Amino acid sequence: MEDLVLTPGQYAQLWNGALATVRILAGAFALGLFLSLVVGVGRLSERKWVRGISFGFVEFARGISSIILLTIMVIAIPILLGDVFPWLRGRSVAVLGAIALGLNMGGYGAEIIRGSILAIPKGQGEACIALNLSPTQRLRFVVLPQALRIILPPMGNLTIEILKGTALVSVVAGFDLMRATQNLIAGMLAQGALGVTVLFINVLFIYFILAQGVNGLFRLAERVLDRRFEQRTGRSAVPINVAATAGS
Amino acid sequence: MSTNVTETDRTDLSDKGAASVRFRAVDKAFGSLTVLENLHLDVEPGERVVIIGPSGSGKTTILRVTMTLEHIDAGTIQVGGQHLYHEETSAGSLKAASERHIRKVRSNIGMVFQHFNLFPHMSAIENVMLAPVKVHGTSREEAQHLGMELLAKVGLAEHANHTPGQLSGGQKQRVAIARALATQPSVMLFDEVTSALDPELVGDVLKVLRDIAEEGKTTMMLVTHEMGFAREIADRILMFDKGRVVESGPPSQVLDDPQEDRTRSFLGAVAEH
Amino acid sequence: MADDNHRPEAPPTASDDARPAGTFEFEIEQSHKWYRRPEVLVPVILVVLGLSLLAVVEAPSGRFRSQFTPGRDVSFGWDYFFHLVPQMLRGLYTTARATVLGFLIAASLGLVMALLRRSERPYVSLPAAFVIEFIRSTPILVQMFFAQVLVRATPWLTLNPIVILFIVVGIHYATYASEAYRAGINSVPKGQWEASIALNLDPATKWTRIIIPQAVPNVLPTLGNYLVAAFKDVPIGDAVLSTAGVLFFANTIRADDFRPVEPYLLIGVGFLLVSLPAAWLVRRLEESIEYERD
């Protein structure tokens, strides 16, 4: 069993790589979630042009390969758009990579959000009209809180796909867990097939654990939400004083 | 929590009293299917009008266009003297109303649905408090006080913290009524509010409707299949068929001495059940 | 039996009443099974034929090279862009071919994985479940690197990079395919299995007449979606294994001409021109064979 263990120095390098991977994932997730919400709601807008743009974005982001989007983002876009958006020049590969993965995630996430909004029964919207809630209030207080429960499981799977996608950053010279692994390959090749197997089994396990971590976080969120849904006797509950109100 | 209330959204929640509803030459079709045809109807302030008729006759559509859940194709509807779908221009002619105008007039109307449409992620009291706090700018304390009063009125004060999933159908419908009452509407619309309920739960809901009727503070328009209840509560009964009012009059006339064949055959079919 | 479900009950007409008692005419209509409908069958066959052709015919080999000296003063030139199109198509063909061959492995290996996972013996199903989950939740890029380095470190093993690509794509997407098979089988309602027992059907009839026809409408579109997904992952092989696909084309041109914008935008466009129609076809398939259940 101890054959499967690397040296502490190697683990330290992999640890740094894993941290970089998680940072890229966090950036991509933040952008992806934001885009998912905006575009997913935009797909259902009453305005035709908003629907059109949202649809175009979804088709593009889901149609393109993430590695091609990533290379375009890192290699071509800073040259092409650098004059218009000077901010893009000199951005690190990690930032540009996170943007590319976030765009990618936004396309898939928007469809998840759209589907979950459509899954809310029509009567909920009618009740909102009857109570005279504005469209924004309807979305915020009635539709999204209910849609959230439907969104979480597929969003968790999508986040794991994006975690897997972060490894692509290594092929455009970004630093992440995969790049840290590449730095160790030469040393392990000396030990032959067994050496590289040990190295890669360790790395794959780190990715596996990260994926399970993402999975666990989403499961936790689901459970918290379910509990709030079913029984609310916590802080937010209104104190009941039956004696005081029953007489009125 | 911040509220999105703007000055124009704010409507006074103190008693506004009952309002009239006037339909003039209202048409409504779904594709090639005409559901309302040249409808003229006056409902007076505080009046209780029960609409009966076979399914698919358009009776529910009257309530739905009044609540703006469906928009009318032609004609006008006035609520409390104000046009619902139109605005008067300075020249005195009518133009299509802005969303803001519709919302303003709509704030006088409340509706209770056949399938309750309670918000499943909110407790009973939160359902009742939502519109007063978010739409009418009532303070949370005030809305909570009002909400508990309303829940007590419908006999559900001790269920205030329960979510809809924990309530029976009859209890859900009573929460839905409390929710509609919380905005103190001048006109209340009841769309077959007992037809999704188990028979033994209907009584509690009807009792609440009776209480509202007795207070006489709102105009009530009801679509129902409960003929006994219709007789008891209605000032006037409208027999509706194929998008038109076939017959209208006090219950004693329409139910006991119908003048039209269509009414007679409908009442005969209902009585068989 | 099942056929009269599809037949709306006609109200009795005068001619029905007039028919002499004792004779009973009833024509059995062929029920509307998805695999008997030409508007489903014809495109499916065409696509399968096209994919088989793709699998058999190899792209012309040779180095990617441009015979064009682009100006240095602009960051984007249309003439250079269009000059690169034929070579890009060659790379795209190789990418598509690798996808199809890899997916052939995935579709068959996936079935094996699904059966292992459905096994009633926990010492078979649990390890299978773990391996599927493990491969599925780790990056295909890392798996490609692993395969490449492993082959390099194994003296007696020599494998063409494109073969390594088939194998890795095949194994990675087999885990997805196995989930599609499993979900398809599980989507057949419990009542259907119970009815098969109640009618005392033998296992062969049960599977071929009841379960598989109902599971396929759920499996086929999912497999189609994974095929499109695999197509998007295959260019990773160009970066890791230097297979001669679209991305390798762009990388080569960039290294030769120092002009990164055109080749990368071009492969983006070329990619969308294949993946969008493909995704659209899958969606159409999904809509047309959706099973109508009571």
Side-chain angles (χ1 to χ4, degrees):
Chain A
M1 211 50 206
E2 60 203 41
D3 294 346
L4 288 176
V5 178
L6 301 169
T7 67
Q10 288 170 319
Y11 276 123
Q13 290 196 45
L14 292 182
W15 170 250
N16 285 335
L19 282 182
T21 288
V22 168
R23 244 176 298 179
I24 295 167
L25 176 66
F29 181 80
L31 176 64
L33 194 63
F34 171 75
L35 285 174
S36 303
L37 270 173
V38 172
V39 179
V41 172
R43 284 272 270 138
L44 299 166
S45 168
E46 281 170 20
R47 279 176 267 269
K48 210 173 170 189
W49 63 270
V50 176
R51 279 206 311 272
I53 291 177
S54 310
F55 177 75
F57 173 78
V58 167
E59 288 297 294
F60 167 77
R62 297 200 312 170
I64 196 135
S65 153
S66 30
I67 187 164
I68 290 178
L69 180 61
L70 192 87
T71 47
I72 290 177
M73 194 69 214
V74 174
I75 297 170
I77 289 293
I79 298 173
L80 195 66
L81 299 181
D83 293 338
V84 194
F85 304 103
W87 181 85
L88 285 168
R89 283 182 192 277
R91 279 308 109 187
S92 71
V93 173
V95 171
L96 293 172
I99 293 175
L101 291 169
L103 289 171
N104 211 222
M105 177 175 167
Y108 290 95
E111 287 302 274
I112 294 176
I113 301 237
R114 184 179 81 104
S116 66
I117 291 177
L118 288 177
I120 308 290
K122 204 169 137 243
Q124 294 290 309
E126 297 190 342
C128 291
I129 295 178
L131 293 175
N132 222 0
L133 296 176
S134 73
T136 324
Q137 289 173 328
R138 180 197 316 187
L139 197 63
R140 181 169 153 203
F141 298 119
V142 176
V143 176
L144 284 183
Q146 294 183 56
L148 192 58
R149 184 61 187 82
I150 316 173
I151 290 170
L152 280 177
M155 216 34 133
N157 290 339
L158 178 58
T159 309
I160 291 176
E161 290 298 322
I162 298 303
L163 166 68
K164 289 161 64 183
T166 57
L168 303 176
V169 171
S170 67
V171 305
V172 279
F175 181 75
D176 74 326
L177 179 51
M178 184 58 228
R179 176 54 60 144
T181 309
Q182 278 170 275
N183 295 342
L184 297 176
I185 287 178
M188 298 305 278
L189 264 176
Q191 296 174 39
L194 183 68
V196 295
T197 305
V198 168
L199 173 64
F200 273 93
I201 291 289
N202 272 282
V203 172
L204 287 170
F205 253 99
I206 296 174
Y207 275 110
F208 183 69
I209 290 164
L210 289 176
Q212 293 308 311
V214 169
N215 198 7
L217 284 177
F218 274 86
R219 288 279 166 79
L220 189 70
E222 280 168 39
R223 203 170 312 155
V224 168
L225 211 60
D226 281 346
R227 206 171 295 154
R228 267 182 48 193
F229 228 115
E230 273 152 21
Q231 52 190 113
R232 313 177 139 230
T233 41
R235 289 171 292 112
S236 66
V238 170
I240 302 173
N241 190 342
V242 178
T245 46
S248 65
Chain B
M1 198 183 286
S2 73
T3 54
N4 297 346
V5 176
T6 63
E7 224 30 61
T8 50
D9 285 340
R10 260 177 227 276
T11 38
D12 196 357
L13 271 186
S14 63
D15 286 344
K16 284 166 292 193
S20 61
V21 186
R22 303 190 191 289
F23 299 79
R24 290 287 173 270
V26 172
D27 288 343
K28 173 70 191 172
F30 294 110
S32 60
L33 180 74
T34 304
V35 276
L36 296 179
E37 199 179 352
N38 194 23
L39 175 75
H40 288 263
L41 176 64
D42 283 304
V43 180
E44 300 308 325
E47 198 184 11
R48 302 188 291 267
V49 173
V50 171
I51 305 164
I52 62 172
S55 59
S57 62
K59 54 191 193 312
T60 288
T61 308
I62 300 183
L63 302 189
R64 291 177 61 84
V65 297
T66 310
M67 193 68 258
T68 69
L69 299 177
E70 320 278 359
H71 285 215
I72 58 176
D73 298 334
T76 62
I77 299 177
Q78 281 180 293
V79 176
Q82 282 181 295
H83 278 287
L84 178 57
Y85 287 101
H86 301 84
E87 279 176 87
E88 276 175 57
T89 61
S90 48
S93 60
L94 292 181
K95 60 167 186 162
S98 64
E99 189 59 38
R100 164 187 276 206
H101 176 84
I102 291 180
R103 287 196 70 198
K104 192 166 131 251
V105 181
R106 192 165 64 193
S107 69
N108 296 310
I109 312 168
M111 182 163 180
V112 183
F113 299 87
Q114 181 180 358
H115 296 290
F116 335 126
N117 296 349
L118 287 178
F119 304 129
H121 59 300
M122 298 181 187
S123 65
I125 185 70
E126 286 171 327
N127 264 282
V128 176
M129 286 166 63
L130 182 70
V133 172
K134 300 300 176 195
V135 181
H136 300 270
T138 313
S139 72
R140 285 194 78 79
E141 295 71 36
E142 208 180 318
Q144 186 174 316
H145 182 72
L146 172 78
M148 285 309 292
E149 251 175 46
L150 285 168
L151 286 178
K153 191 161 143 186
V154 299
L156 291 174
E158 65 272 32
H159 293 289
N161 289 326
H162 290 169
T163 52
Q166 298 168 309
L167 300 174
S168 73
Q171 290 171 331
K172 280 184 211 168
Q173 194 57 296
R174 284 184 279 152
V175 173
I177 293 172
R179 181 176 73 172
L181 285 172
T183 58
Q184 307 203 338
S186 314
V187 177
M188 285 278 279
L189 312 171
F190 297 91
D191 185 8
E192 305 196 22
V193 292
T194 55
S195 34
L197 301 179
D198 291 334
E200 72 269 23
L201 300 174
V202 168
D204 289 337
V205 173
L206 293 185
K207 179 181 169 297
V208 171
L209 295 189
R210 237 172 255 133
D211 292 345
I212 300 170
E214 246 160 54
E215 280 178 27
K217 282 193 283 194
T218 51
T219 306
M220 293 169 78
M221 293 174 71
L222 306 93
V223 169
T224 183
H225 294 297
E226 304 274 339
M227 291 303 156
F229 177 69
R231 178 196 303 275
E232 178 194 330
I233 203 169
D235 295 319
R236 181 154 54 118
I237 291 194
L238 299 178
M239 168 65 198
F240 213 78
D241 190 29
K242 298 198 174 104
R244 296 166 167 276
V245 179
V246 176
E247 189 165 358
S248 136
S252 56
Q253 183 200 319
V254 178
L255 296 181
D256 301 332
D257 185 18
Q259 305 298 305
E260 302 288 331
D261 288 345
R262 192 71 199 85
T263 315
R264 266 194 289 273
S265 63
F266 172 72
L267 290 175
V270 172
E272 277 172 25
H273 291 284
Chain C
M1 22 164 261
D3 296 296
D4 50 17
N5 283 339
H6 295 278
R7 203 189 172 101
E9 245 177 84
T13 59
S15 63
D16 280 342
D17 295 339
R19 194 172 287 154
T23 62
F24 182 65
E25 282 176 36
F26 187 87
E27 202 178 313
I28 294 180
E29 280 178 18
Q30 201 44 264
S31 69
H32 223 50
K33 295 199 175 76
W34 61 268
Y35 51 86
R36 293 221 178 98
R37 303 211 315 259
E39 76 270 23
V40 176
L41 207 55
V42 172
V44 167
I45 289 177
L46 282 179
V47 168
V48 169
L49 275 181
L51 293 181
S52 324
L53 200 70
L54 203 62
V56 175
V57 182
E58 212 174 322
S61 57
R63 198 180 188 293
F64 291 112
R65 185 175 290 130
S66 74
Q67 265 89 44
F68 196 94
T69 317
R72 291 265 157 258
D73 46 340
V74 288
S75 59
F76 186 84
W78 282 108
D79 39 3
Y80 183 52
F81 185 80
F82 285 116
H83 170 78
L84 294 173
V85 168
Q87 305 222 48
M88 184 277 286
L89 290 178
R90 183 150 66 89
L92 198 59
Y93 185 91
T94 303
T95 299
R97 184 164 179 271
T99 309
V100 173
L101 289 171
F103 207 74
L104 276 180
I105 300 177
S108 18
L109 186 60
L111 197 57
V112 177
M113 286 186 182
L115 292 176
L116 289 177
R117 182 149 184 200
R118 273 187 69 82
S119 163
E120 275 160 20
R121 299 183 194 93
Y123 59 85
V124 176
S125 66
L126 286 180
F130 176 78
V131 168
I132 290 170
E133 182 64 23
F134 188 82
I135 296 175
R136 237 165 80 98
S137 53
T138 51
I140 191 170
L141 178 129
V142 181
Q143 294 164 4
M144 281 181 195
F145 259 114
F146 185 19
Q148 184 193 38
V149 176
L150 192 62
V151 169
R152 199 186 299 161
T154 313
W156 47 268
L157 188 68
T158 38
L159 281 179
N160 199 329
I162 195 98
V163 176
I164 299 179
L165 181 61
F166 299 156
I167 294 173
V168 175
V169 169
I171 293 177
H172 191 86
Y173 277 92
T175 63
Y176 284 87
S178 79
E179 288 299 297
Y181 291 129
R182 219 168 64 96
I185 295 171
N186 289 345
S187 74
V188 179
K190 219 174 129 210
Q192 298 291 315
W193 301 81
E194 290 174 356
S196 306
I197 296 173
L199 292 171
N200 211 13
L201 300 180
D202 60 288
T205 315
K206 178 177 85 178
W207 281 95
T208 57
R209 302 301 298 274
I210 310 293
I211 306 302
I212 292 177
Q214 293 190 70
V216 168
N218 292 307
V219 172
L220 215 50
T222 316
L223 280 186
N225 278 325
Y226 289 147
L227 178 65
V228 177
F231 179 55
K232 293 175 201 158
D233 273 353
V234 164
I236 298 174
D238 302 355
V240 177
L241 307 162
S242 302
T243 46
V246 260
L247 189 61
F248 188 71
F249 149 79
N251 288 342
T252 310
I253 297 296
R254 173 189 176 217
D256 285 357
D257 292 356
F258 304 105
R259 292 272 301 191
V261 176
E262 289 90 348
Y264 286 101
L265 285 188
L266 181 62
I267 61 173
V269 172
F271 209 88
L272 285 174
L273 287 181
V274 176
S275 72
L276 288 183
W280 180 80
L281 269 179
V282 173
R283 237 173 294 168
R284 281 293 306 276
L285 178 72
E286 203 164 2
E287 283 159 15
S288 62
I289 69 178
E290 214 159 62
Y291 233 74
E292 285 159 31
R293 290 220 175 83
D294 308 330

